[in-house]
Amino acid sequence: MTIRSVWWAAAIPGAEAPFDTAHLRIFYPAKPTGSDAERLSGVFPADPAQAPYPVAVIVSGVNVGQEAYRWLAVELASRGYVAVTYDWVGELFGGLKGITPGVELAAAKPDAYGTRATTPSVPVILDALKTMTGPVAGLLDLDNVALIGHSAGGTVILQSARFFPTVKAVAAYGTHTMVATMLGWPAGTVLPAQVDSPVLLMNGENDGVINGSADRYGESVVKRDPISRTFDEALPDAGGDNLQVTFSGANHFGIVHPVDETAARAFLDLPAETDPAATRAALADVTTAFLDIHLRGASGDVLDKALQNPDIAGIRRR
C-alpha cells in the first residue's frame, strides 16, 4: 500500500496573529496512476476502495512537533484510516509560546469544568476537514472520528471528547486528568473525564515525566500513578469497553519517534527498558484494533489478539 500526505491549515478563533493558525498534515492510502499530474505535483489520488475512511486525529503533547507522530499516522493510514496531525504554535503557560494541543485553562477551573471543551483546537481541526480540497475530499467519514492524544494532548481530549459528537473512540498515552492546584482545585484532584465513547488509556512502566510534574498537583511525589487513578476514578464502568494497557519498560515518550531532545521535557523521562520500536509496534496494533472495533464494528477478537503481545505488562478493563 502506498501512503501519501497533504497539508492544510485552520484558523483558531480568538487567537491573536501570528499565533492563530494550525498547520495540518493528512495521511491517506493512495492509488498511484503514473500520471503527469502526479509527477509534476507530487500529489497522488486517494485509493477509493475503502472509502469513506474513518478519521484519526492525533493531538500532540506540549512542544512535541507533529513529525514525532508521523510513524503512527503512517501506520494508521496503512490500516485503512485517514490520520491527521497538526502543529499549532500558540499560548502555553506563563506567557510562553510553543507547540500546543490547545488548552483553555479557564475551561478547566472549578466553576467551568464540564461545561465546555478545554481545547479550542480540536473542533477547529474537525471543521477544517469538512471543507478541505485535494485528494481526500469527499472520501472522509467524519461521522466516525477517533482522537488519539499524548501527554497534555491526551488530557485535553479526555476533558473534552463528549463535546464532539462524531468522536466514537478516544485513545491516550502517558496522560491523566489530575489537575493543577493553580486552577483552584484541591491537591490530588482527579477530574471526571468528559468522554461518552470508549477509552483506551495507555502508559509505560517507566514514565518519568508524570512523576516530575507531581508538584503541579499539590504532591511532592506522585503517591499513586495518576494514569491508573484516572482509569479508576475519572472513567465510568463501560462494561469492559474502557481499557488500560501498560507497556513493559516503556517511558513517557514511548509513543514518539524520533524523540527531540532539544524541546519538551524528555530530560525528565526515565530510560526505556524495552526496545522503543517494539513498544511502538505493540502500541500501533492495540490502538488500531481498538479503533477497528469502535469505528468499524470489528469483532473483539482483533483486540484480544493484539493484547497478547509480550511487550504488554498489564491490561485492565472496566
Side-chain angles (χ1 to χ4, degrees):
M1 179 180 290
T2 300
I3 305 303
R4 298 291 290 181
S5 63
V6 290
W7 283 261
W8 200 247
I12 310 292
E16 294 185 5
F19 302 103
D20 59 350
T21 304
H23 297 277
L24 289 62
R25 191 170 180 183
I26 296 92
F27 298 80
Y28 61 96
K31 187 174 183 179
T33 64
S35 69
D36 287 342
E38 287 174 8
R39 177 175 58 83
L40 296 173
S41 70
V43 176
F44 291 19
D47 186 349
Q50 299 181 60
Y53 289 97
V55 175
V57 178
I58 301 173
V59 186
S60 76
V62 170
N63 282 329
V64 183
Q66 62 180 312
E67 289 301 307
Y69 309 101
R70 180 175 63 184
W71 75 270
L72 179 56
V74 170
E75 281 289 335
L76 290 167
S78 73
R79 303 184 197 203
Y81 291 85
V82 166
V84 181
T85 61
Y86 67 95
D87 283 336
W88 174 25
V89 177
E91 191 78 26
L92 295 177
F93 313 104
L96 296 174
K97 307 292 186 183
I99 289 178
T100 175
V103 182
E104 184 190 345
L105 293 179
K109 291 184 176 181
D111 61 346
Y113 185 72
T115 65
R116 63 184 187 273
T118 64
T119 173
S121 62
V122 170
V124 170
I125 302 303
L126 296 178
D127 284 344
L129 295 174
K130 297 175 184 177
T131 59
M132 72 173 294
T133 58
V136 300
L139 300 179
L140 303 181
D141 184 356
L142 291 169
D143 290 325
N144 276 301
V145 174
L147 300 179
I148 303 173
H150 171 223
S151 197
T155 296
V156 296
I157 64 173
L158 288 174
Q159 293 176 337
S160 306
R162 75 176 180 88
F163 296 100
F164 316 131
T166 59
V167 171
K168 300 300 192 297
V170 168
Y173 182 91
T175 194
H176 57 83
T177 63
M178 284 191 76
V179 64
T181 55
M182 63 170 279
L183 295 177
W185 295 94
T189 297
V190 175
L191 296 180
Q194 303 297 305
V195 181
D196 291 334
S197 59
V199 173
L200 168 62
L201 196 61
M202 299 178 284
N203 61 288
E205 289 183 311
N206 288 13
D207 192 318
V209 175
I210 287 177
N211 192 65
S213 306
D215 55 341
R216 289 182 179 174
Y217 316 113
E219 300 178 335
S220 56
V221 295
V222 174
K223 296 176 182 177
R224 182 173 175 244
D225 169 24
I227 300 174
S228 295
R229 282 195 63 192
T230 296
F231 189 73
D232 291 337
E233 301 173 34
L235 297 176
D237 188 330
D241 281 347
N242 289 336
L243 186 68
Q244 182 184 3
V245 176
T246 301
F247 294 94
S248 303
N251 60 18
H252 187 74
F253 285 86
I255 193 174
V256 164
H257 178 69
V259 176
D260 182 354
E261 300 290 349
T262 72
R265 297 194 298 156
F267 61 90
L268 291 175
D269 217 354
L270 296 173
E273 295 178 350
T274 297
D275 179 1
T279 297
R280 293 194 300 275
L283 187 153
D285 286 345
V286 170
T287 301
T288 305
F290 181 79
L291 299 191
D292 284 347
I293 291 170
H294 299 296
L295 274 69
R296 288 174 157 162
S299 163
D301 293 346
V302 297
L303 182 57
D304 292 339
K305 181 178 179 180
L307 292 172
Q308 293 173 11
N309 192 298
D311 290 308
I312 292 175
I315 302 164
R316 304 170 67 209
R317 297 179 185 265
R318 59 178 313 200

